[in-house]
Amino acid sequence: MAAMEVRVRYAPSPTGLQHIGGVRTALFNYLFARSMNGKFILRLEDTDRARSDESFVQNLYDTFAWLGFRWDEGPDTGGPSAPYVQSERSALYGKYAEELLARGEAYYCFCSAERLENVRKEREEARAKGGGASRESGYDRHCRGIPVEEGRRRAAAGESCTIRLKIPLGEDGGPGPATVFTDSLLGGIEWKNEDINPDPVLLKSDGFPTYHLANVVDDHLMGITHVLRAQEWLPSTPLHVILYRAFGWEHPVFCHLPMVMGQDGKKLSKRHGATSVDEFRRQGYLPEALINYVALLGASYEEGKDLYALEELSRRFSLEKLNKAPAVFDYKKLEWYNGQYIRMKSDEELAGLTLPHAVSAGLFGTPGAGPDACQRALYTAAMPLVRERLAFLHEAPEKLRYLFSEPEIPAAEEFFPKKADLGAAVKLLRLRREITARLAAGNDEEAEALVKAKAGQEAVKLGDLMMPLRVAVTGARVSPPLFGSLRLLGAERSLARIDRALAKLEGRDGAC
Ligand code: GLU
Ligand code: ZN
């Protein structure tokens, strides 16, 4: 018999922006599918009609288009299990709830919302006091004894009702059995049935399924072989296992992924920093960096190797590479990855990626104005000056502003090399003026050799010779490489800036 095809899914509820945790789940499912030559499916779990929103669906599509990995089957792709949106599958779930009723595994509940609320409160109070059947919270199984036929009649007569799952109980109707299953990462799990949500609702009074029913029915119908999901879903799994058994279906392999924590050991949340992919994107992260970093949250591939492209991860991934221990999200490490991926970009690519930031920062005139052909060429040519200095894409424009507009002339002291004064700065700047025209014309190595020679001749330190020039040309003591800047600005503009600076330092601009 041919080996069963691996089918995995990412099943988000569109009730919020895509965040790191979701992307990690999606990515691991994707990588697992690729590594097994299987299929990766996207399914929208929008059964919570009040909280689901179309804008979050759009955000999901935008996020994954940006990240650059895709599902093989999904709402926008189609496939053998279509539709892939739960709200478009509603009719189906009622049928399966019916089947459980027929099998004696479910029952009608006619309790009013008010009664349920009172029961919940009473049981909570009893639990707080530690008395009697106190370990159980939630529903009291009031309607469990109503025969299905009677329930069906009352429902048909229009009485409002839900359908609940019978969680198996002990002989005397009390607690007893436990639900046992294996998690491929965590090993054997044994969950006392009394600790499972007592007889959870499967079908709501409006006919919509709850998460549990829709999730299990769809995983079964879509032929899902492995469920890789965040560890916070582990408490739902015993209930799902009971559901599978109630249907007489085999359940998929479960693998609950390690939690993602902030550095304080608490679950990663907004308190720790950006968590939505949108935010990372706006902050100038590259998708490759985010993918590479997220792929390491709870998995290890090879000792001493950090950089992995998506394609390589797809080959290396396996469930054995997952860690049990929680993963710690380290923003600094992600920043490092970003710098690494920025360094791998060509001039053209990096210019293209940073250009939107430059346009909105007003690098080429008023904010929003795009570059003309000359500015675009200069911008691309300037990429080698900043590539090594960027941790984020949005940092490029500020670092290059001096190439596109005349920098303000800083205060005189800014021009002074260490321990030098105004006289020395002026002298040095004059010296530099002579050779600047030649510097701007040659290549960067020749320029450096020339300056070194000049410094030797004049018996001044190289750094001292460079500082006033750097300030005059770039407007700051710290800047991208000076020779490259001179070359890009050209002799004429460079000299004009030196003259402007000299004029100010020598007081000829009337400022002092
Ligand atoms: N809809 C659930 C979620 O929002 C899916 C959980 C699961 O993967 O079973 O994460
Ligand atoms: Zn009831």
Side-chain angles (χ1 to χ4, degrees), residues 472-487:
V473 170
T474 70
R477 288 174 79 89
V478 178
S479 77
L482 184 55
F483 298 128
S485 306
L486 290 167
R487 186 167 33 78

Side-chain angles (χ1 to χ4, degrees), residues 8-16 18 25 29 41-54 56-58 60-61 73-76 81 83-90 92-93 204 208-224 226-230 232-233 236-237 240 243-244 252 254:
V8 292
R9 57 23 171 216
Y10 175 47
S13 302
T15 54
Q18 288 297 300
T25 300
N29 276 285
I41 293 152
L42 173 71
R43 180 175 75 227
L44 293 183
E45 300 209 321
D46 59 347
T47 52
D48 187 340
R49 302 306 294 153
R51 289 175 58 225
S52 296
D53 196 285
E54 221 15 71
F56 296 132
V57 176
Q58 194 52 48
L60 178 128
Y61 288 138
E73 299 169 25
D76 57 338
S81 309
Y84 293 88
V85 182
Q86 287 186 331
S87 59
E88 292 170 21
R89 301 168 67 81
S90 324
L92 208 94
Y93 307 114
K204 295 182 262 189
F208 264 95
T210 56
Y211 155 70
H212 303 298
L213 178 67
N215 185 270
V216 164
V217 165
D218 283 348
D219 278 349
H220 175 73
L221 294 180
M222 294 182 179
I224 299 303
H226 297 71
V227 168
L228 275 57
R229 64 181 168 200
E232 64 216 52
W233 293 101
S236 295
T237 307
H240 293 178
L243 252 177
Y244 278 102
F254 289 105

Side-chain angles (χ1 to χ4, degrees), residues 320-337:
E320 287 72 49
K321 300 216 165 102
L322 296 177
N323 310 324
K324 278 190 198 176
V328 176
F329 196 91
D330 180 348
Y331 287 87
K332 278 278 159 229
K333 190 79 206 229
L334 175 60
E335 199 177 307
W336 177 85
Y337 273 103

